[in-house]
Amino acid sequence: MRYINIFFLIIAVLVGACSGSKKLTQAKKSFSIGEYTRAAELYKKAYAKEKNRYYKGEYAWYMGESYRITNKPLKAASAYSKAVRYEYPEREAQFYMAESYRKAGKLDKAIPEYEEYLEKVPADIRAQRGLASCMMLQKEPQPNRYIIAKEKDLNSKYSDYSPTYAGTEFDYVVFASMRVEGKSKRKNRITGQGTSSIFYSKKNAKGAWEDPAPFEEPINNPKFDDGSPFVSHDGKELFFTRCKFDNEKPTGAEVVSCKRQGGQWGEPINASLALDSTLLDSTVIAHPALSADGETLYFVSDMEGGYGGKDIWKAEKAGEGQWGEPINMGSAINTPGNEMFPFIRKDGILYFSSDTHIGFGGLDLFKAELNEEGNWDVTNMGEPINSIGDDFGIVFQGKDEVGLFSSSRGSTKGIDNIYSFVLPKLNFYLTGLITNNNEEIVTGSYLRLIGSDGTTMKVKSPSDGKFKVKLKPNTDYVFLVAAEGYLNKKVKFSTSGEVNDKSFEYNIVMEKPLQKVN
């Protein structure tokens, strides 16, 4: 799991009692306020000099936590293994070691660690599903039909993530970036990258993305980390996650929004989604996504009443700029781990990322649909959408299976990039030949095709008796073949459930009616 590098879920993490040595004061402080990149460096130096076994295990644990949170699984696994070796009394060290090995694709190392941990903590659902994920990956599941590509014009050498379309032409994209521009811009001690800001890009006349540019104030503010944007479907309101930073204490995150009037964006204001306003400084409220009608706001939070980690919640509109009481999306969606980056399509299908539902690596993308009983059916989106890295922040171009998402695949430094995806449309055809019992072409024959989608089509066969008709996916068909002097033929078939291009071939043999005997 990852909090900071997937953007601004800055949280207070348990900080144990380290050695009283003054030289560790800064390491403890850096970790406690979320400066994980700096904390990892300081604990690494302390570990190298320490002789006491207990303290070596303790420093290794905090190194592992720092690397895990900043999405460096191999370094995290190595650090956790040292904490386990030195018998540091934090039993989750072995769990996170297994998780980190899985995220790094080291299944042979992850599986025994999961198994040993589950012998001690058999009820841990996170470990149960982590082990199940490894078992699934060992069977080498086959990729599906999605085609993905890295959007090089939108990406930099730093993290670029959480794209969202602005408008219905899908030629304007807004996203978050940790890119460092110019030598004067300081790197963030939390991630080792730049401070996250909101960027935009438009497509030019050739259909290519123009160089991304940052929004000016008041949207981007150098005092905050701003990320995970979402533009309302009418293009008039921008929601995003804002994280404050405090040199003395850990902070939470909030969802803010601003409206566009007269070509200008207004001042961002807090969406007020927390049940208790006194908890705003420490509670995570993040990753906003608005329904198509603008009446429901989905978001992520670690507020009380959830299932553990980060959960997906929703709130109904209660007036201009006001939202009702947050409602948890339930146990079918949320787990004891982290569920984040929701996106809701116009048809009500929910997409989100999770590190605990059975998947391929870190965060995987999932699709949730309401069944006839009103319950959520959750399915993994499979490869190549998902990978052993973190895959999250998906958006679609309306009803089409085309869009953008974010992924850390291929990066050992936890760098995220924006990818495009498309699911090619399936091609189905009805083909065949119409002959009689003597294998002669039946001239003047015709075919009438009726589909469950309301299709009605009459097709005359050419002189060679062959026919070819284009079909629609997920449709039940019946077709009738008729010709003067012959008995009619009727055939039923369906394209439903087909996942590859297919030609339905029927060679029809027409028969003459029996002659009456006097």
Side-chain angles (χ1 to χ4, degrees):
M1 350 179 225
R2 152 173 104 158
Y3 308 126
I4 299 305
N5 203 29
I6 45 180
F7 325 120
F8 323 119
L9 301 183
I10 304 178
I11 61 171
V13 183
L14 293 175
V15 182
C18 294
S19 166
S21 173
K22 292 182 180 180
K23 65 182 179 180
L24 287 171
T25 301
Q26 192 57 56
K28 292 169 61 179
K29 181 179 179 181
S30 293
F31 189 88
S32 69
I33 63 176
E35 291 182 344
Y36 299 113
T37 295
R38 189 177 186 213
E41 295 173 355
L42 293 170
Y43 277 116
K44 183 178 180 180
K45 291 178 181 178
Y47 175 87
K49 295 179 180 180
E50 185 59 60
K51 303 297 182 184
N52 181 280
R53 288 180 58 86
Y54 176 85
Y55 290 130
K56 286 185 80 71
E58 185 176 45
Y59 304 158
W61 161 257
Y62 285 107
M63 267 197 294
E65 288 288 87
S66 299
Y67 287 134
R68 174 178 65 85
I69 293 169
T70 53
N71 200 32
K72 299 178 178 65
L74 277 177
K75 288 186 176 181
S78 176
Y80 286 128
S81 69
K82 293 180 176 67
V84 172
R85 184 197 315 160
Y86 288 111
E87 299 179 335
Y88 182 63
E90 176 53 73
R91 65 184 184 184
E92 286 198 332
Q94 188 167 31
F95 166 71
Y96 286 130
M97 175 170 50
E99 289 278 276
S100 299
Y101 277 134
R102 180 168 66 91
K103 283 192 66 172
K106 306 291 185 182
L107 302 183
D108 57 330
K109 293 186 176 181
I111 290 173
E113 300 302 338
Y114 277 126
E115 291 175 338
E116 187 173 330
Y117 174 78
L118 282 168
E119 288 179 2
K120 305 169 188 173
V121 195
D124 194 322
I125 294 175
R126 299 169 304 165
Q128 293 172 9
R129 294 186 177 180
L131 180 58
S133 295
C134 290
M135 299 303 185
M136 178 194 73
L137 292 171
Q138 283 188 322
K139 295 179 181 178
E140 299 182 355
Q142 294 300 306
N144 55 40
R145 296 175 50 254
Y146 280 104
I147 297 173
I148 67 168
K150 186 183 289 188
E151 289 295 302
K152 62 179 182 179
D153 293 331
L154 296 178
N155 293 312
S156 66
K157 66 179 181 179
Y158 298 96
S159 282
D160 302 284
Y161 62 95
S162 287
T164 180
Y165 291 110
T168 57
E169 298 299 318
F170 308 111
D171 58 356
Y172 188 114
V173 67
V174 178
F175 63 97
S177 178
M178 294 182 181
R179 61 188 68 194
V180 175
E181 296 182 321
K183 296 181 179 179
S184 61
K185 188 172 182 180
R186 295 179 60 188
K187 290 186 178 181
N188 191 302
R189 288 179 174 178
I190 298 172
T191 64
Q193 303 186 59
T195 298
S196 186
S197 299
I198 310 297
F199 281 69
Y200 67 90
S201 177
K202 300 178 181 179
K203 280 190 175 180
N204 58 28
K206 295 182 179 179
W209 294 111
E210 296 178 347
D211 290 340
F215 281 96
E216 302 295 333
E217 290 193 58
I219 291 179
N220 285 324
N221 189 316
K223 296 180 181 179
F224 307 113
D225 273 313
D226 295 320
S228 303
F230 187 89
V231 180
S232 62
H233 291 264
D234 61 9
K236 295 180 180 180
E237 192 166 10
L238 172 65
F239 295 81
F240 58 95
T241 306
R242 171 159 281 181
C243 287
K244 301 175 183 179
F245 183 75
D246 193 309
N247 286 319
E248 299 300 325
K249 62 181 180 180
T251 56
E254 61 182 351
V255 167
V256 298
S257 66
C258 54
K259 292 190 175 181
R260 186 177 179 86
Q261 293 180 336
Q264 299 293 324
W265 288 103
E267 188 73 29
I269 59 173
N270 187 285
S272 300
L273 291 165
L275 287 170
D276 187 347
S277 60
T278 63
L279 299 176
L280 284 176
D281 286 342
S282 59
T283 302
V284 170
I285 307 287
H287 303 175
L290 195 66
S291 62
D293 61 8
E295 294 298 312
T296 308
L297 184 63
Y298 297 81
F299 62 96
V300 168
S301 182
D302 60 355
M303 69 174 70
E304 290 186 6
Y307 291 85
K310 307 295 179 296
D311 280 8
I312 296 175
W313 299 70
K314 68 177 180 179
E316 303 297 331
K317 201 164 191 176
E320 187 62 31
Q322 300 296 317
W323 299 97
E325 182 176 316
I327 301 170
N328 190 284
M329 292 296 290
S331 59
I333 301 293
N334 295 312
T335 69
N338 295 291
E339 281 66 49
M340 298 181 281
F341 300 99
F343 176 80
I344 190 83
R345 295 180 81 171
K346 193 172 183 179
D347 59 7
I349 297 177
L350 174 69
Y351 294 82
F352 65 96
S353 288
S354 172
D355 63 6
T356 302
H357 283 286
I358 296 173
F360 289 79
L363 286 171
D364 267 22
L365 280 158
F366 291 84
K367 175 181 179 180
E369 298 179 86
L370 284 172
N371 58 32
E372 293 179 355
E373 288 75 36
N375 300 316
W376 291 104
D377 290 331
V378 177
T379 55
N380 189 295
M381 291 192 71
E383 290 186 295
I385 294 290
N386 288 315
S387 67
I388 64 170
D390 285 324
D391 304 291
F392 58 97
I394 196 167
V395 290
F396 291 80
Q397 293 185 9
K399 296 180 180 179
D400 295 331
E401 290 293 311
V402 180
L404 300 168
F405 72 104
S406 318
S407 179
S408 67
R409 66 189 64 195
S411 173
T412 59
K413 297 180 180 180
I415 302 297
D416 300 299
N417 285 287
I418 295 172
Y419 287 76
S420 62
F421 69 90
V422 61
L423 183 64
K425 292 183 178 180
L426 290 169
N427 294 307
F428 298 122
Y429 293 95
L430 172 63
T431 64
L433 177 68
I434 302 174
T435 61
N436 59 23
N437 286 328
N438 297 322
E439 299 183 355
E440 298 169 335
I441 301 299
V442 177
T443 59
S445 62
Y446 67 89
L447 178 150
R448 185 177 295 279
L449 183 70
I450 301 171
S452 58
D453 63 340
T455 299
T456 300
M457 185 186 306
K458 182 177 180 180
V459 181
K460 290 184 178 181
S461 64
S463 59
D464 62 2
K466 294 180 180 179
F467 59 87
K468 183 175 183 180
V469 183
K470 189 172 178 59
L471 305 170
K472 296 180 180 179
N474 300 314
T475 305
D476 298 326
Y477 286 101
V478 57
F479 73 89
L480 180 77
V481 180
E484 187 176 353
Y486 290 91
L487 296 172
N488 293 340
K489 288 280 188 175
K490 186 170 71 172
V491 178
K492 294 181 178 180
F493 69 99
S494 177
T495 60
S496 297
E498 298 291 342
V499 296
N500 295 302
D501 293 350
K502 184 173 180 179
S503 179
F504 294 84
E505 185 173 357
Y506 292 94
N507 292 321
I508 307 298
V509 178
M510 305 294 287
E511 298 176 352
K512 289 183 177 292
L514 294 173
Q515 298 294 323
K516 291 184 178 180
V517 178
N518 292 327

